[in-house]
């Protein structure tokens, strides 16, 4: 199960991923995890909203 604190950490890494020196492989991996967690659908409502927000914000970014 994913937690809000883990999502906050992932968001920070995704933000830095667009900047120089970011880890693009890790960003792609995190986006894959976010999509998987949304597809499974067994997450609490607050976590689901955060997942949807992260996907809408970073889902189209090329890493």
């Amino acid at each position: 199960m994913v937690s809000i604190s883990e999502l906050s950490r992932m968001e920070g890494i995704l933000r830095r991923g667009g900047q120089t020196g970011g880890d693009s492989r890790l960003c792609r991996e995190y986006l894959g995890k976010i999509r998987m967690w949304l597809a499974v659908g067994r997450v609490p409502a607050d976590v689901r909203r955060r997942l949807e927000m992260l996907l809408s914000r970073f889902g189209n970014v090329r890493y």
Side-chain angles (χ1 to χ4, degrees):
M1 179 79 68
V2 64
S3 66
I4 293 289
S5 62
E6 186 177 353
L7 291 176
S8 296
R9 184 178 57 83
M10 291 170 94
E11 181 179 6
I13 291 171
L14 287 169
R15 265 194 209 138
R16 286 190 303 267
Q19 300 169 357
T20 33
D23 190 358
S24 61
R25 182 192 55 79
L26 186 59
C27 291
R28 285 191 304 269
E29 181 181 319
Y30 281 167
L31 285 173
K33 284 183 179 183
I34 289 170
R35 287 183 179 107
M36 180 194 63
W37 288 326
L38 277 171
V40 169
R42 293 186 213 146
V43 292
D46 57 338
V47 173
R48 183 169 182 81
R49 281 191 297 272
R50 187 70 179 255
L51 288 169
E52 290 170 345
M53 186 270 307
L54 288 174
L55 189 60
S56 69
R57 189 172 188 188
F58 299 107
N60 294 327
V61 177
R62 290 190 164 253
Y63 290 107

